[in-house]
Amino acid sequence: MAATTQTTFASANNFEQCLKCSICTVYCPVAAVTTAYPGPKQAGPDGERYRLKDPKFYDEALKLCLNCKRCEVACPSEVRIGDIIQRARMQHPQRPKLRDVLLANTDVMGTMATSMAPVVNLTLGMKPVKAVMNATLGIDKHRTFPAYASQKFETWYRRHAAQTQESFSKHVSYFHGCYVNYNYPQLGKDLVTVMNALGYGVHLLEKEKCCGVALMANGMHEQAKRQGETNMQSMRKSINELKRPIITTSSTCTFTMRDEYDHVLGIDNRDVRDHLSLAARFIYQLIDNGEVKLAFDPNFKMRVAYHTACHMQRMGWAIFSTQLLRMIPGLELIELESQCCGIAGTYGFKKENYENSQAIGAGLFQAIKEADPQYVATDCETCKWQIEMSTGVPVLNPISILAQALDVEKTKQLNQN
Amino acid sequence: MKFDTIIIGGGLSGLTCGIALSQKGQRVAIVAGGQNSLHFNAGSMELLGNVDGEEIAHPVEAAQRLQPNHPYRKVGIDHLEELAQEAKTLLDKAGLTMSGNAKENHWRITPIGVTKPAWLTLEGLATVASSQLPWKAVTLVELEGFIDSPLQFVETNLAAQGVQVKVARIAPAVLTQARRSASEMRATSLAKILRNHQALASLAAEINQVTTADELVLMPMFLGLDDDALAALQAQVKPRLAFLPTLPPMVPGVRIATALQHYFKMLGGTYLLGDKVVDGLIEDNTMRHITTAKLQDVLLKADNFVLATGSFMSGGVVADFTRIYEPVFGLDVEAPANRADWTLAEVMDDQPYMSCGVATDDTLHALKEGKAVKNLFAIGSVLSGHNAAVQGDGEGVDMLTALAVAHRITNRQ
């Protein structure tokens, strides 16, 4: 008998707490559409028992996991099934294909592309180019690359916003992410508009790197870890020296930096985690605590269907976005049943995943068509691409909707102090 | 963040209470730490199946003989029938057609083929009028490679009651090739494949090949997760079909869980899935707010709170080496002080720990340090005073205490 009795669980990602109840399998969107994926229980805790004995039990089918974490949301025993699968993939790396390196290096691709945006956008949209990418790189020909902006958000910020930010009495740092920087600077501009109206100056981090989610999904964990450490260092400076909390507008970047840095990459982020929040949550809390007030444009009217992105579901934060949207008097909100759209970042761009990706999203696309909204709102940029491509309905981040609905001048007056 | 009522626990009891309150126009939030134990429900609800070791045919009548601390005493034995009818109506409104009533039990067939008294059973599942099976002969459909149904047990148990059992093996290509991993050839996975009309038609064709019109065919329920596949299959086969529940996760249970969650959200309810209540502030015998793991420093406030966290299995009560306790708020628990008194030697005996749970006053207010918390109720399996496994009253306690508390909350307004 052991000298002491173990009374707490000690295994990584709550592996030992799996009861083998199989509830996770019921909620796996991948297992529901393909026979090639063994499902989260088998790929996660069951397979892990074998892998711990001998790494040769590693199953290549694990790459079919799209890391939606819906298994973890369903699990009654708090087993981090998705994290177990991600870690297994990390421990059995494969040399990434050229395509995966290109898809994963959002920073490099973005910097190159934004400098030549009109040419790149035109080229990537051409049928022959798509056919070549399909054949040589394995990027599915049905996909349209999100258009690159001709001016990076950071460039816009430095030219048009940076000078005025110090004049505010309260401040936040903004982790804008690759998507805002290279593809859709408007969301970043909207964020600056909203936060300024609430009396907050918005600042860039000293150094921002891609959060690394695409690198992790494509087997480049070492690079992801280096980028993660850089981000944590910049955020520590923002929190400790500048006393600025960090806000974001991407649910996946937020989830990756708050949870996967620790659970998957082993980055110690404990001192940063609670100071890093999604803008929707940050703003909701300010309102809930009576610290800021909003004034809305009385003529604003919009019919919106809210889609809960997978990582938003995992964080449990969809309530902040929907509560915020409900505050807008002219907005009619339909809450869609929470289900995966199928894109999962770079997953759906790969030729071998295209069919599964669309089959997974079919239920959501149908629900959107039935709801027939003017816009879909969601906190995830890759869901935006997938939903716009698959339904034709335009998609907006809740912060952009807020920026449109606010009476900015009146809100500014309400929050002057 | 403020609601009228916040329910902690998203299982049968929490959902029933949430739906009843939402129907009355309340703003309700449910905090659910993962999916619920309805996933292990075989498609039947039990009101009262056993009193003092005797199988019960008339539950309302037999409830008069229940022990004084049974939760039914706190909803009122005189109200059982009315509340049971209300529960059935609620299920019906959620889209769940169930047969049965509170005055008279029927008998359901368990996944291993024995009979147990039940109050309500989901349409399509096999039921009989008494514990004695009325069948002379049945045909059991065995699906090749299916891992969720111990059909040999079923065969043995039916034969023990004098039923002649014929086993008809089928191997429709659409299902047997469906899973490259044999470990995933389970009921809920097959039910997703059988949403497809062509797949269902090929299953029907296989059944027609091995059966005739005059047989009663029993088959495991591996279809009908969220669609009308049971009726559609019946329309395409010659014999009459009756379905048996499988091993968990069970299709009928998942169907019930899904329907209730949808209905609650449709009524405007907020279902916080995958979150966990970690703390709460009780002052002056009143619950002020609670906090959750995911919402962190955002306090959840409400006029009333309902604890529906389930029993040991769901973590509503916890046993360690020295004590049995309620882990969220440290509420009073009714449990034998001496650990040796928690258990009896024979596993199938009426184990005392099974009756342990949160202590409440006569109106189901939870107690802390002997005092009732004015706006905190406890419902369902977290309650002390009964053993669902022995007494066959689990779903009845879940739903009826939920409805009784919902009435108390809305009458108070």
Side-chain angles (χ1 to χ4, degrees):
Chain A
M1 200 154 155
T4 55
T5 308
Q6 184 190 326
T7 54
T8 52
F9 296 102
S11 64
N13 293 317
N14 295 347
F15 161 66
E16 282 173 353
Q17 270 132 303
C18 176
L19 296 175
K20 313 293 163 205
C21 77
S22 303
I23 284 180
C24 55
T25 303
V26 182
Y27 294 92
C28 175
V30 183
V33 300
T34 174
T35 61
Y37 184 59
K41 174 169 163 273
Q42 180 69 27
D46 279 10
E48 188 69 8
R49 284 187 304 169
Y50 292 104
R51 293 191 291 265
L52 284 171
K53 286 194 172 132
D54 190 334
K56 77 167 184 248
F57 286 109
Y58 178 75
D59 181 353
E60 284 305 320
L62 261 60
K63 70 173 186 285
L64 291 172
C65 166
L66 46 64
N67 200 28
C68 69
K69 308 280 190 197
R70 288 187 184 265
C71 47
E72 296 184 3
V73 174
C75 178
S77 309
E78 296 180 62
V79 180
R80 294 203 298 260
I81 305 155
D83 290 343
I84 292 172
I85 297 170
Q86 291 316 302
R87 282 197 71 90
R89 282 166 52 162
M90 187 173 148
Q91 283 151 8
H92 300 86
Q94 278 201 311
R95 225 181 116 83
K97 295 177 186 167
L98 172 64
R99 171 202 66 187
D100 298 353
V101 174
L102 291 176
L103 285 174
N105 276 281
T106 48
D107 275 334
V108 180
M109 288 284 280
T111 306
M112 281 177 3
T114 40
S115 59
M116 302 179 290
V119 182
V120 174
N121 291 337
L122 188 68
T123 316
L124 289 176
M126 285 176 179
K127 272 200 177 152
V129 175
K130 286 188 175 191
V132 169
M133 291 203 301
N134 187 66
T136 59
L137 289 175
I139 292 172
D140 195 273
K141 63 176 180 289
H142 298 90
R143 293 280 169 208
T144 301
F145 264 83
Y148 285 103
S150 41
Q151 186 187 45
K152 287 197 288 188
F153 171 73
E154 286 179 354
T155 314
W156 172 86
Y157 176 86
R158 290 202 173 95
R159 286 187 195 160
H160 302 286
Q163 300 74 17
T164 53
Q165 299 308 312
E166 290 297 343
S167 65
F168 291 90
S169 58
K170 292 173 281 186
H171 301 275
V172 290
S173 295
Y174 177 39
F175 181 95
H176 47 70
C178 305
Y179 164 72
V180 163
N181 204 25
Y182 304 115
N183 303 115
Y184 198 67
Q186 187 56 44
L187 174 55
K189 296 175 193 172
D190 291 340
L191 186 274
V192 174
T193 303
V194 172
M195 292 311 293
N196 284 177
L198 298 177
Y200 279 80
V202 178
H203 306 268
L204 302 183
L205 287 166
E206 187 180 68
K207 215 171 182 186
E208 175 180 324
K209 288 279 188 184
C210 166
C211 70
V213 67
L215 293 166
M216 287 155 72
N218 289 287
M220 286 165 262
H221 294 90
E222 283 309 314
Q223 193 186 339
K225 197 168 174 177
R226 284 196 300 275
Q227 297 190 183
E229 296 286 10
T230 304
N231 285 332
M232 288 301 103
Q233 222 166 347
S234 296
M235 289 184 187
R236 271 180 201 118
K237 185 169 179 193
S238 174
I239 297 159
N240 300 327
E241 289 175 35
L242 304 166
K243 309 293 172 199
R244 293 170 188 164
I246 301 105
I247 60 172
T248 65
T249 42
S250 159
S251 50
T252 287
C253 298
T254 314
F255 174 70
T256 303
M257 295 189 291
R258 278 175 54 101
D259 293 329
E260 294 215 313
Y261 274 10
D262 174 20
H263 300 161
V264 180
L265 293 178
I267 296 173
D268 186 353
N269 65 352
R270 280 172 298 180
D271 54 335
V272 172
R273 190 175 187 266
D274 289 350
H275 305 277
L276 169 61
S277 186
L278 201 63
R281 176 177 186 258
F282 188 82
I283 295 167
Y284 176 85
Q285 280 186 278
L286 292 178
I287 300 166
D288 200 37
N289 296 337
E291 292 171 45
V292 301
K293 289 191 169 59
L294 307 182
F296 293 100
D297 172 1
N299 298 317
F300 179 83
K301 286 266 175 298
M302 195 185 270
R303 188 177 146 81
V304 176
Y306 181 79
H307 160 64
T308 305
C310 295
H311 292 162
M312 200 66 178
Q313 176 75 57
R314 179 68 180 105
M315 285 194 291
W317 286 4
I319 180 108
F320 295 119
S321 290
T322 54
Q323 292 278 7
L324 212 50
L325 291 171
R326 281 184 201 286
M327 289 177 195
I328 304 172
L331 188 140
E332 185 193 341
L333 184 68
I334 305 147
E335 281 190 53
L336 298 164
E337 186 64 34
S338 175
Q339 50 186 321
C340 181
C341 76
I343 188 81
T346 59
Y347 184 94
F349 276 85
K350 299 173 184 173
K351 192 163 71 172
E352 68 272 22
N353 293 337
Y354 179 77
E355 215 173 293
N356 287 343
S357 172
Q358 295 311 101
I360 288 167
L364 176 68
F365 309 149
Q366 186 59 32
I368 291 171
K369 278 175 190 154
E370 281 164 20
D372 193 26
Q374 280 172 286
Y375 291 94
V376 169
T378 192
D379 295 272
C380 172
E381 53 269 27
T382 64
C383 296
K384 173 180 159 80
W385 307 335
Q386 172 78 332
I387 292 167
E388 288 183 340
M389 186 198 91
S390 308
T391 67
V393 180
V395 180
L396 290 173
N397 185 291
I399 297 300
S400 291
I401 295 178
L402 199 59
Q404 286 183 35
L406 279 185
D407 182 328
V408 173
E409 286 312 312
K410 238 179 165 174
T411 306
K412 263 185 192 161
Q413 284 163 18
L414 286 173
N415 299 298
Q416 266 169 2
N417 47 16
Chain B
M1 200 177 286
K2 171 88 171 53
F3 294 89
D4 293 327
T5 300
I6 294 172
I7 298 166
I8 305 151
L12 179 61
S13 200
L15 281 164
T16 302
C17 192
I19 289 169
L21 290 169
S22 300
Q23 284 173 332
K24 295 275 183 185
Q26 279 220 336
R27 286 188 71 237
V28 184
I30 294 179
V31 185
Q35 286 292 354
N36 52 55
S37 60
L38 276 169
H39 291 67
F40 316 130
N41 177 289
S44 290
M45 307 285 180
E46 298 178 342
L47 187 64
L48 186 58
N50 199 300
V51 178
D52 302 329
E54 176 202 331
E55 223 169 52
I56 296 299
H58 303 286
V60 169
E61 196 185 294
Q64 303 287 351
R65 292 190 275 134
L66 283 170
Q67 65 272 25
N69 63 339
H70 192 281
Y72 284 159
R73 298 274 174 203
K74 297 182 180 180
V75 309
I77 301 289
D78 297 343
H79 297 300
L80 279 194
E81 193 176 345
E82 189 190 329
L83 287 171
Q85 184 53 46
E86 194 183 332
K88 189 179 175 180
T89 308
L90 182 150
L91 293 165
D92 194 61
K93 286 207 166 141
L96 297 161
T97 310
M98 313 205 55
S99 60
N101 68 79
K103 273 193 174 156
E104 220 167 6
N105 274 332
H106 57 266
W107 270 254
R108 65 186 178 97
I109 319 290
T110 72
I112 57 165
V114 299
T115 55
K116 280 193 87 177
W119 156 44
L120 301 173
T121 293
L122 199 63
E123 197 178 33
L125 288 162
T127 61
V128 290
S130 76
S131 62
Q132 194 53 45
L133 294 173
W135 307 318
K136 280 203 175 67
V138 297
T139 301
L140 268 183
V141 168
E142 185 181 341
L143 174 67
E144 190 180 289
F146 185 54
I147 61 169
D148 269 352
S149 195
L151 277 189
Q152 280 182 328
F153 282 110
V154 180
E155 209 182 326
T156 310
N157 283 321
L158 294 184
Q161 279 224 24
V163 182
Q164 225 176 37
V165 183
K166 173 185 132 185
V167 176
R169 289 189 178 80
I170 58 168
V174 65
L175 294 185
T176 50
Q177 290 167 17
R179 294 288 140 195
R180 289 184 209 174
S181 163
S183 69
E184 297 303 318
M185 179 103 177
R186 37 180 79 249
T188 52
S189 308
L190 299 181
K192 289 177 189 170
I193 297 166
L194 290 167
R195 282 171 181 153
N196 179 295
H197 296 304
Q198 278 172 324
L200 193 71
S202 70
L203 173 66
E206 288 268 335
I207 293 171
N208 281 329
Q209 272 188 10
V210 292
T211 57
T212 56
D214 54 355
E215 291 172 55
L216 170 63
V217 170
L218 296 180
M219 65 182 275
M221 187 163 165
F222 50 75
L223 66 165
L225 200 57
D226 46 15
D227 54 10
D228 61 355
L230 295 190
L233 182 65
Q234 179 66 75
Q236 295 175 53
V237 298
K238 292 174 287 182
R240 188 164 70 83
L241 300 176
F243 291 89
L244 295 176
T246 63
L247 299 181
M250 300 168 172
V251 168
V254 178
R255 186 180 182 113
I256 295 169
T258 308
L260 291 176
Q261 285 172 26
H262 279 194
Y263 185 46
F264 174 66
K265 287 186 237 174
M266 205 193 83
L267 292 168
T270 299
Y271 196 75
L272 298 169
L273 179 63
D275 204 348
K276 185 182 178 182
V277 176
V278 290
D279 204 359
L281 177 67
I282 300 174
E283 300 175 321
D284 301 332
N285 301 322
T286 307
M287 179 76 83
R288 302 287 179 203
H289 62 246
I290 57 171
T291 50
T292 77
K294 298 284 171 65
L295 304 183
Q296 293 184 300
D297 52 343
V298 176
L299 306 179
L300 289 179
K301 298 173 188 166
D303 298 329
N304 289 288
F305 294 85
V306 180
L307 186 76
T309 42
S311 187
F312 294 98
M313 169 78 183
S314 305
V317 275
V318 177
D320 67 14
F321 294 96
T322 56
R323 63 188 183 125
I324 292 176
Y325 61 99
E326 188 284 311
V328 188
F329 306 118
L331 298 171
D332 295 355
V333 162
E334 279 172 348
N338 185 355
R339 191 182 175 207
D341 299 331
W342 294 354
T343 52
L344 299 175
E346 293 294 322
V347 72
M348 298 308 283
D349 283 349
D350 186 353
Q351 294 288 343
Y353 74 87
M354 289 289 287
S355 300
C356 297
V358 166
T360 52
D361 70 3
D362 288 345
T363 44
L364 294 170
H365 293 90
L367 304 182
K368 187 167 165 88
E369 285 150 19
K371 283 187 191 153
V373 183
K374 285 181 236 168
N375 63 342
L376 173 65
F377 296 90
I379 59 172
S381 311
V382 76
L383 291 168
S384 65
H386 76 120
N387 181 344
V390 169
Q391 295 185 284
D393 59 359
E395 292 82 10
V397 169
D398 287 341
M399 295 194 82
L400 272 44
T401 56
L403 291 173
V405 163
H407 290 316
R408 276 168 201 157
I409 288 173
T410 48
N411 289 340
R412 199 183 258 189
Q413 282 180 322

